[in-house]
Amino acid sequence: METLKIAIQKSGRLSEKSLELIEECGIKHIQGKRKLISVSPNFPIELLFLRDDDIPQYVADGVADIGIVGENEVLEKGKDVELTERLGFARCRLSLAIPQSIQYKDNSYFNGKRIATSYPRILQKFLDENKLNAEIHEISGSVEIAPSIGLADSIFDIVSSGSTLVSNRLKEVEVVIQSEAVIISTPGLKKAKKAILNDFIFRIHAVLQSKNNKYILLNAPNENLEKIINILPGIKSPTVMPLFEPGWSSLHSVVNEKKFWEIIGKLKEFGAQGILVIPIEKMIV
Ligand code: PRT
Ligand code: ZN
């Protein structure tokens, strides 16, 4: 039987979340210590544990059919892979940063400067697009210390909270790309593999949707029912049931996490009571 080979990071910032996502999709995997490959007993999938830098190449070559990796690595490596799905975790950005003490007006600052980075390809593209001439110093780690040891004037690196920059007396001056974990796949997968991938993606959508949404139950006075229904979209539309107490109804709906507090505020304004908010385990729309 055909199996889908999926490359994930062996150990690092993506590993735990990648495995968690696979588990939440109901896919079991048996992982022995230091094993490079793990086969699932209940889904036609095989896990390959690799360094994140190698994942785009393995997927481009078809050694792995798909991979979970940071978008930054995909862009940097420039391999022939398809971006199949955005996963919403490991969010970060690739930014240019300079010493805090330096005044910064615009990106012409970088003309004639030395920039240390582990992402020369993405940086070169930014420089070209902005017609800037700077010298790129490629280093593989601890990029943030380059200015203080005199190796470079500035850096181009991953930023997430920004605290690494602050503790190295640097400031972020240009955000070049945003990144998150993504699924990449080999172009032109065979039909049988594509079918497994589609099933996997279907499950991922159910998991991601459930994370972005909450189930909400509340009691509403009938005179405001219409106003409340207007702000509670639901999957199709909200469920409305009469309460035993005359003049009141119970409403059930699904709300997006991002709009949540805004919606709660309005619900209270329209006299809603007994609001319960419940996490959703899986959501198939
Ligand atoms: O060993 P392997 O090669 O597999 O792993 P790695 O060490 O190359 O990568 P890893 O595990 O550090 O990161 C994997 C991926 O996580 C990256 O390619 C990004 O897509 C994503 N990611 C998300 C991050 C960060 N957030 C992050 N904050 N990767 C690195 N950082 C580092 C960054 O390099 C900097 O030193 O954290 C520091 C900045 O963090 P803040 O919070 O201080 O701004
Ligand atoms: Zn790496």
Side-chain angles (χ1 to χ4, degrees):
M1 200 179 66
E2 199 65 83
T3 59
L4 190 74
K5 294 200 189 87
I6 166 167
I8 64 172
Q9 193 188 25
K10 191 171 190 318
S11 79
R13 285 169 204 264
L14 301 169
S15 316
E16 202 176 308
K17 284 271 173 63
S18 304
L19 282 177
E20 196 180 288
L21 178 67
I22 289 167
E23 281 157 17
E24 283 172 332
C25 287
I27 300 170
K28 291 194 186 128
H29 61 94
I30 304 149
Q31 192 195 355
K33 260 205 172 142
R34 275 184 289 183
K35 253 187 85 176
L36 287 179
I37 297 177
S38 156
V39 183
S40 168
N42 68 345
F43 195 80
I45 217 167
E46 226 173 285
L47 303 180
L48 267 62
F49 298 93
L50 301 168
R51 279 201 60 190
D52 70 343
D53 311 56
D54 297 333
I55 292 177
Q57 177 78 62
Y58 274 75
V59 173
D61 291 347
V63 175
D65 302 306
I66 67 169
I68 299 180
V69 68
E71 211 176 341
N72 51 313
E73 285 299 333
V74 182
L75 292 171
E76 179 59 30
K77 297 296 188 289
K79 301 289 176 198
D80 182 20
V81 295
E82 272 168 20
L83 201 159
T84 306
E85 190 68 37
R86 295 179 175 278
L87 299 173
F89 65 84
R91 284 185 195 277
C92 57
R93 50 198 189 270
L94 269 172
S95 295
L96 279 156
I98 65 169
Q100 280 169 0
S101 55
I102 291 173
Q103 286 243 6
Y104 183 82
K105 269 216 315 278
D106 54 47
N107 62 27
S108 65
Y109 165 83
F110 291 100
N111 269 320
K113 295 289 194 298
R114 294 165 305 160
I115 312 171
T117 189
S118 313
Y119 295 91
R121 191 185 172 110
I122 299 171
L123 176 56
Q124 189 62 60
K125 186 161 175 268
F126 172 83
L127 295 174
D128 291 346
E129 280 168 4
N130 289 279
K131 300 192 169 53
L132 299 168
N133 241 313
E135 208 181 290
I136 299 177
H137 281 247
E138 185 177 350
I139 50 175
S140 60
S142 305
V143 172
E144 65 279 1
I145 64 166
S148 65
I149 60 171
L151 186 69
D153 306 291
S154 52
I155 66 163
F156 177 61
D157 200 11
I158 296 178
V159 182
S160 134
S161 68
S163 63
T164 301
L165 293 183
V166 171
S167 57
N168 286 280
R169 299 218 177 87
L170 298 169
K171 62 179 175 187
E172 187 177 9
V173 291
E174 299 285 343
V175 177
V176 174
I177 61 155
Q178 302 280 348
S179 175
E180 64 188 282
V182 294
I183 292 190
I184 51 170
S185 53
T186 310
L189 277 183
K190 279 195 292 176
K191 216 171 153 196
K193 287 188 187 269
K194 188 88 188 164
I196 305 169
L197 175 59
N198 287 344
D199 190 1
F200 183 42
I201 298 286
F202 173 81
R203 294 182 185 205
I204 288 176
H205 282 166
V207 171
L208 296 181
Q209 290 262 21
S210 71
K211 285 193 189 195
N212 293 336
N213 289 282
K214 300 268 181 251
Y215 194 74
I216 181 166
L217 295 106
L218 56 93
N219 296 328
N222 285 347
E223 68 263 25
N224 284 346
L225 214 49
E226 216 152 297
K227 283 188 197 150
I228 291 180
I229 287 170
N230 276 336
I231 55 168
L232 275 186
I235 293 180
K236 257 203 166 58
S237 71
T239 308
V240 183
M241 285 178 290
L243 281 193
F244 184 67
E245 190 177 319
W248 283 81
S249 296
S250 163
L251 252 90
H252 298 197
S253 190
V254 171
V255 295
N256 191 286
E257 181 102 275
K258 286 191 189 123
K259 296 189 184 142
F260 181 73
W261 288 109
E262 189 191 323
I263 287 178
I264 296 289
K266 283 190 192 147
L267 291 175
K268 282 170 69 184
E269 210 176 288
F270 295 143
Q273 295 179 1
I275 304 172
L276 297 180
V277 179
I278 302 164
I280 299 170
E281 161 92 14
K282 297 280 185 301
M283 184 166 155
I284 293 135
V285 293

